Amino acid sequence: MKELILGKLSMHALPHEWFTIAGSVSFLLLALTIVVVLTWTKRWKWLWKEWLTSVDPKKIGIMYFIAGGFMLLRGGLDAIMLWLQQALSAGEAHGYLTADHFQQIFTAHGNIMVFFVAMALIFGLINYFVPLQIGARDLASPFLNTLGFWLYIGGVIMVNMFFFLGGEYAATGWLAIAPLSELQFSPGMGVDYWIWSLQIAGIGTTLGAINFIMTILKMRAPGMSLWRMPPFTWGSLCSMIMVVTVFPLLTATLFLLFFDRYFGTHFFTTMGGGDPMMYTNLIWMWGHPEVYILVLPAFGVFSEVVATFSRKRLASYTSNVLGMIGVATFSLSVWLHHFFTMGASADVNAFFGVMTMVIAIPTSVLVFSWIATMYKGRIQFKTPMLWFLGFIGIFAVGGMAGVVLAVPPADFQLHNSLFLVAHFHSNVIGGVLFGIFAALSYWFPKITGVRLNERIGRYAFVAWVVGFCLSFIPMYILGFMGATRRLDHYDSATGWQPLYVLMFIGGLVIAIGVALQIIQIIASFMQRRRLRDTTGDPWDGRSLEWATASPPQAYNFTTIPQVEQRDAFWHMKQQGLPKPAYENIIVPKNTGAGIYISAFAFLASFGFVWEITWLIVASIIGVLAVFVVRTFNDDVEYKLTAEQVRKLEAERKQKDEAEQQRKAPALGIDNSEDMGLRDFTKAAATFGLDVIRNKRWRTWQKQN
Amino acid sequence: MSSNPKHHTEHGTTASYIVGFILSLLFTIIPYLLVTKHKVSGTSLLATVLGFALLQMIIQLVFFLHLGREKKPYWQSSFLVATVGLILVVVVGSLWIMHHLHYNMVPTEASKKLVNDEAIYQIGGEQTGACQTMGPNHQITIKDGQISPTHIAAQKCDTLSFVNQDDEAHHIMFGSFEEPQPYAGEDMLSLRKGRAKTITLSEQGTHTFHDHMHPETSGGFTVLP
Amino acid sequence: MADMAEAKLTEHEAHYNDRVQFGFWIYLMTDLLMFTVLFAVYAVLRDNTLGGPGGDELFSQPLALTETLILLTSSFTAGLGMIAARRGLKNQVLVWFGITFMLGLAFLSFELKEFAEFIHEGHTMNTNAFLSSFFALVGTHGLHITSGLLWMAITLIFVMRRGLNGPLVRKLTLLSLFWHFLDIVWIFIFSVVYLMALA
């Protein structure tokens, strides 16, 4: 009877290890804090109406940033734990993690960083800025947008669920290669959590990509041909087309693994005629293009940043775009380089080795185009440009390491060594993450209306680069010395320990860099009077997103701009900006359908993990029911008349002016320049004391 | 080029659906008859069936899905072409890779490869018994559950083909039913109906074989030096 | 022939219909790729019968032909239903799609019968990799057909109650795209699974 209701759930599933208790308590405390703040400030309805059910891609973008940022901290904590273990665990000492726990941590670290940090932050950027850049008001399907976001959140919850119930995550590495991930060798529910968190998030990603492609191809402003689109939009288009091409492969493969575990089929089992090597083949067919999916929007961001901060237009737009298309196309023909050592023999290895090296060519075209843009430009070393410079150095080294690995005989030595780990982290951190940082610092004024504190930004950048070098240069060296990846313990006679300790220290320096980035944001808001962006165009930008207020109104533009050239906004500024005009705007209504469907999808997945049949059936019915109700509901939009738009614009102008007049908090800082760390500490202390002494929390409640 | 074209739903006439339907019927029935009447087999069967499938797919794309009638830019057709390209990469790529992996990595195949294909006839001074050249071919046919001839004599390094002319599959193993032994690296020869498999007679002596599903179907061969 | 349904659309609705149809087409491409993985897995694993019977022994080609002809006809009637939809002829729509629904149901029942027979004889998806791949590929197609029938039923009920309005014609368009696409996938299942078993 209990089995019927609860499936495989039991008291034993509740947290009883130190890390599951710690994790559960942390999450609960966080949830409690949020609940308390929302109740105290009476903001539940506001949260639901203004944010959770919103279909505005700008709001959804910000929610992606918040969730992705949070998961970055979670994945970063995993990394620190791993480094600490490796620094301690040499010879007689065995560190503080069991081998199995260590394996779960590196699995979770990989999954979280790829799926729940990088994809989320990139989706946030595309959501926010592609409609602005192409002169559109919204994405093609606002409903699919919110659905995709909440499915992602379902994945986030699922990947953290094991803390509360089950106590174990997959211990198989981030791709859960068969047969280790089969029931025979992973009998617990960890791999099931792995499967379903990726499956939900993956479907959300695919739906989102379809939405972005529809938007870019069908909703550009009049006059904006494909060859007049900004490079970030191009990078996003290439990336999203890749998503729709390869994520179905992942979805299918995950279903097959799920079938093996749940129904006892024999796709990848060692017995019954299954072929585990086919799993490796299929999963890397997805896995390799995935990393290019992550990096192409970053390339697009860098093209914009380099042009803006060199005060020059992008040198050779055509080769830049063709480079991105080339990377996207070739990335579909290289996947076997992840398993040169599996034994497919010389001709197969040679073909894929050559194709892997060929990818360096379009990538180099991009690098040369950026360098050519900087040449004879008037370079401004603002934060976004600093991130670009960090990227160029680190990504190039990582790329060269990749070409080394592309040679099969060399790979036979270096496969699954720390050299490999250093290679892909150089590319993912140097390329994707620095790209995201550059994008966020470039577009921060647009999103918030406040420019970023440059001084602390420089400190953060230096900390990141120093930390990265401290962590990853030893890793390259260790790779050559023979250290393999995923080692939780090694012989002290190897002499590796000092390098592992260096890596851990580097990790701490990176953590300082992250802290500095958070401080940078807080400090910018503290000095917002000084750093306010009143024009909407703080960098003298070239593309259409700068033609709006900071932050933009919900409908982006009062009238859709007419585009005549590449660098549309730059051109408009030369011609003289058009007078404001107003027209009727059709606005999509908010909807909770995305939340409900994702909640049911999450429950169904939970049911699959714990084999609770009634929950599975009920949840699937729930998904279908909400979907049908939503899609057969024809009343999903409302109209804003031109008069109403004009009023909204006038109100906005008034609000901005009132904001400027408001008294700044007396924080005792010099507002003539960006504050440094000492000033920040002083200001934070003053603010904190002020809050405590004058019991300011009471006024917050009253204000709301 | 502007991205606000008038909506261009492509739709067809009753005539186009009828034509598509009839052609699809034809391209279904023709390969069906060719295959079930055994007019094609082996590689030509694969090619024929795939060819007709592709033809019918194109017919249905044109007449049911109206693919040719899209206005510029041809987004739907472009995506379809790209998808077909990717399908080829996935299928052909997987087949090529997995074929090589099986050839190199599957244990039962590996010893056979060692002995026969790579003609490794000496390891550490010991003869493996592999053949440097292959002799003439002998045939044993299985029909109606009967083996003919029930016993053959051959020279070392001749080849022996088992041909299954029955309607059901046969699974040839060597040695007795109670204690099957591998011969020349072969554990079991699975012969589907109409199929044949050939082995190299690299081990001397008199050996027996049987159908593991029907042990009364059995025979033997003698390999002379 | 008057395109009455489309003449009544505003430009906004027309653009929306165009986008949605394009987006749905891209979804169909992703579905095709999912099926491709199942086909690739079938191609790689189909000889792994562990000595058990293979497709040449298990499959009934006449049954497969029956299923193919049923599905092909249903694709044809769906097309005729779409022509009626664009002309705004509600009753014809109900008739043609009703026939499509019946044919789809017939297809499913033949397929379920085939599965039941295999399982009854002890050839389940757990027996060996060949059968796992067969059930996954053909079963996934069957699941898609089932979803399509569910979609069809709900849409037809709405057509009966609300009449043929713009959004419903759009939904029928997407549904017929889906249905034609499923027939195309079936052509390959018929060819690769059932006919090639005799190779």
Side-chain angles (χ1 to χ4, degrees), chain A residues 538-588:
Chain A
W539 311 119
D540 198 14
R542 315 181 82 88
S543 37
L544 283 174
E545 74 268 28
W546 304 109
T548 58
S550 292
Q553 297 280 69
Y555 41 79
N556 291 352
F557 307 94
T558 52
T559 47
I560 303 293
Q562 184 78 25
V563 169
E564 320 231 316
Q565 277 194 5
R566 230 171 256 166
D567 285 347
F569 182 55
W570 187 262
H571 178 76
M572 276 160 69
K573 283 189 284 190
Q574 315 298 344
Q575 305 286 62
L577 291 169
K579 273 212 173 71
Y582 307 105
E583 59 185 18
N584 294 346
I585 299 179
I586 298 182
V587 181

Side-chain angles (χ1 to χ4, degrees), chain A residues 140 210 213-214 217-219 244-245 248-249 251-252 256 263-267 272-273 275 282 586 631-632 634 637, chain C residues 12 18-19 22-23 26 30 33-34 37-38 41 45 48 50 125-126 128-129 132-133 136 155 158 162 167 171:
Chain A
I210 296 178
I213 296 175
M214 277 198 278
L217 293 182
K218 297 272 182 185
M219 290 173 71
V244 298
T245 18
L249 306 179
T251 310
L256 294 177
F263 294 117
T265 50
H266 290 288
F267 295 107
D275 193 344
L282 288 172
I586 298 182
T631 48
F632 280 88
D634 290 333
E637 296 169 328
Chain C
H12 176 73
D18 177 58
R19 285 204 298 267
F22 178 55
I26 302 179
T30 68
L33 285 164
M34 257 212 354
V37 170
L38 298 177
V41 169
L45 293 178
N48 294 17
L50 287 190
M125 63 163 96
N126 304 348
N128 55 44
S132 299
S133 322
T155 311
F158 272 97
R162 290 186 188 172
K171 289 193 203 307

Side-chain angles (χ1 to χ4, degrees), chain B residues 146-192:
Chain B
Q146 300 296 327
I147 306 262
S148 72
T150 49
H151 200 99
I152 60 145
Q155 299 271 345
K156 187 155 177 282
C157 295
D158 284 354
T159 59
L160 174 61
S161 296
F162 292 88
V163 183
N164 181 2
Q165 288 180 347
D166 264 340
D167 271 334
E168 53 167 24
H170 288 285
H171 306 278
I172 304 292
M173 294 184 84
F174 301 96
S176 65
F177 177 75
E178 295 78 21
E179 275 193 58
Q181 307 276 340
Y183 175 80
E186 301 282 353
D187 263 320
M188 170 159 74
L189 302 172
S190 292
L191 300 169
R192 300 225 280 252

Side-chain angles (χ1 to χ4, degrees), chain C residues 111-146:
Chain C
E111 190 158 275
L112 285 170
K113 199 167 83 95
E114 184 191 27
F115 283 9
E117 252 175 50
F118 286 173
I119 295 174
H120 182 69
E121 286 166 19
H123 311 300
T124 66
M125 63 163 96
N126 304 348
T127 311
N128 55 44
F130 155 70
L131 284 163
S132 299
S133 322
F134 167 76
F135 278 104
L137 176 56
V138 182
T140 304
H141 181 267
L143 256 177
H144 278 75
I145 295 277
T146 312

Side-chain angles (χ1 to χ4, degrees), chain A residues 422-440:
Chain A
H423 151 72
F424 66 71
H425 279 95
S426 304
N427 285 49
V428 173
I429 295 182
V432 181
L433 197 59
F434 281 19
I436 292 173
F437 290 159
L440 287 173

Side-chain angles (χ1 to χ4, degrees), chain A residues 308-355:
Chain A
T308 305
F309 293 102
S310 306
R311 316 275 304 145
K312 246 180 95 191
R313 71 157 196 254
L314 186 65
S316 184
Y317 174 93
T318 312
S319 38
N320 196 296
V321 169
L322 288 177
M324 287 196 274
I325 298 177
V327 168
T329 318
F330 283 123
S331 73
L332 298 164
S333 66
V334 301
W335 73 91
L336 189 127
H337 69 231
H338 296 273
F339 48 98
F340 279 139
T341 54
M342 198 150 78
S345 89
D347 31 351
V348 176
N349 282 357
F351 170 74
F352 282 99
V354 168
M355 292 311 295

